[in-house]
Amino acid sequence: QVQLVESGGGLVQAGGSLRLSCAVSGRTFSSYAMDWFRQAPGKEREFVARISWNGGSTNYADSVKGRFTISRDNAKNTVYLQMNSLKPEDTAVYYCARESTVVAGLYDRWGQGTQVTVSS
């Protein structure tokens, strides 16, 4: 059973930085594109960033471009989200997700989430 486990969340002041990690169990991590999503209280889950299977391609939501960086280490089965210049509106539960290789647009595994709180 593939599991995704996020870590690295916490409380930070506006302007600060955090680095989230998502450790993925299993032997096929390097075959999958990985994404980060977030969900703020009372809001729908939203896309944050995506990285291709080999790290050669990345995409970001407009709201985080220039501040967040997604990366991966396939040797460690881990995807990261470096978050700089954090704003109070970045406060949310952050989730990593694995993209299906069978159905486009489908995410077949999700982590449990890690809370990020940015104080003003």
Side-chain angles (χ1 to χ4, degrees):
Q1 181 77 4
V2 174
Q3 290 188 321
L4 282 61
V5 180
E6 300 98 335
S7 61
L11 173 64
V12 64
Q13 288 187 332
S17 298
L18 283 174
R19 187 195 197 201
L20 306 184
S21 298
C22 173
V24 182
S25 63
R27 299 182 178 180
T28 59
F29 173 74
S30 61
S31 299
Y32 294 88
M34 298 293 297
D35 294 56
W36 285 97
F37 287 79
R38 66 186 182 186
Q39 187 167 19
K43 295 187 177 182
E44 293 188 353
R45 190 172 298 187
E46 64 174 358
F47 168 79
V48 174
R50 176 189 187 273
I51 188 166
S52 61
W53 65 275
N54 63 354
S57 175
T58 58
N59 302 92
Y60 297 92
D62 288 344
S63 58
V64 306
K65 277 181 183 176
R67 299 188 299 121
F68 290 12
T69 302
I70 189 171
S71 62
R72 67 190 296 161
D73 185 337
N74 285 346
K76 295 183 178 180
N77 279 22
T78 302
V79 60
Y80 304 98
L81 186 68
Q82 178 67 44
M83 306 186 295
N84 298 330
S85 302
L86 282 161
K87 304 175 181 180
E89 51 263 45
D90 294 318
T91 295
V93 178
Y94 284 71
Y95 301 88
C96 62
R98 190 181 79 171
E99 290 188 13
S100 170
T101 58
V102 177
V103 179
L106 177 68
Y107 301 91
D108 62 4
R109 294 290 188 276
W110 290 85
Q112 83 290 348
T114 186
Q115 176 71 47
V116 171
T117 303
V118 184
S119 64
S120 57

